[in-house]
Amino acid sequence: MARIFIRMGSDSNGSIYSNFDGKYVRIGDSRSDGIMYNIDGNYIREGDDSNGEIMLNIDGNYIRTGASKDGTIVYIIDGNYIRYGAYNDRRIAYNMTESSLGSGCFITTACIESRGLPVDCYELETLRKFRDNWVSKHENGPAEIKIYYDIAPKIVEKLNHLPNSKEIYEKIYQEVVIKCVQFIEEGKEKDAYSLYKNASFDLKKYTDTL
């Protein structure tokens, strides 16, 4: 899954308190350090130990203290908001935003984040617009976007666990992302489409062997 930033208050551009990658809740916006909690089914455990102390449990939209579904409700999940207490009209404690800002450009986003570039950088914005304004209107485009959404998060997850992931993302950035952006600027949308599609399937074949 895309990383989720948990931000203070209701501002979607507010200070990042922690981030969640599907397993670990980490302090700040770090991708690798500062694990606060790990998610074990409905349990939120302390630290990175899957047998760690259960701090909270998720009961539907409620987040309760301890391991019991009778525990005190401390938060309620209300869409992208995490509110204090049991009612959805309570004060907002945190809000959740995807690290890719919902772009769905998983592989490109991973390259951008690896380079330390902002998630609204020119390359990512260009490819988002290309997806929305050209690929989605192309024959079979919506179906192929869905396929990409199915395979890309798994590709990124596997690449992230490799010791040379940074070098791999840099290679993808130089040989795929930059070239696709150049094709789009030159009005060669079909070339950009073919390059990105073929690169995605090549990466799937590679990561399937890992």
Side-chain angles (χ1 to χ4, degrees), residues 6 25 37 39 42-45 54-79 81-87 93-94 96:
I6 301 173
V25 179
Y37 306 110
I39 308 301
N42 291 332
Y43 295 137
I44 301 175
R45 296 179 180 269
I54 297 171
M55 307 300 292
L56 302 163
N57 74 89
I58 302 168
D59 175 22
N61 288 339
Y62 297 133
I63 300 177
R64 300 175 180 269
T65 56
S68 172
K69 287 191 176 182
D70 294 325
T72 301
I73 296 170
V74 287
Y75 300 112
I76 181 172
I77 300 171
D78 177 22
Y81 296 134
I82 301 175
R83 298 177 182 270
Y84 291 109
Y87 304 102
Y94 308 102
M96 298 177 285

Side-chain angles (χ1 to χ4, degrees), residues 1 21 151-162 169:
M1 64 174 290
D21 63 6
I151 67 173
K154 299 170 186 175
I155 292 171
V156 170
E157 181 179 3
K158 289 188 175 183
L159 292 180
N160 284 346
H161 285 87
L162 296 178
Y169 284 135

Side-chain angles (χ1 to χ4, degrees), residues 7 10 25 37 44 62 66 78 82 118 127 129 131 136 142 159 166 195-196 198 205:
R7 300 174 183 269
S10 61
V25 179
Y37 306 110
I44 301 175
Y62 297 133
D78 177 22
I82 301 175
L127 288 171
K129 291 176 183 176
R131 176 203 60 198
S136 66
L159 292 180
K166 190 171 183 66
L195 175 58
Y196 204 97
N198 291 336
K205 290 178 185 176

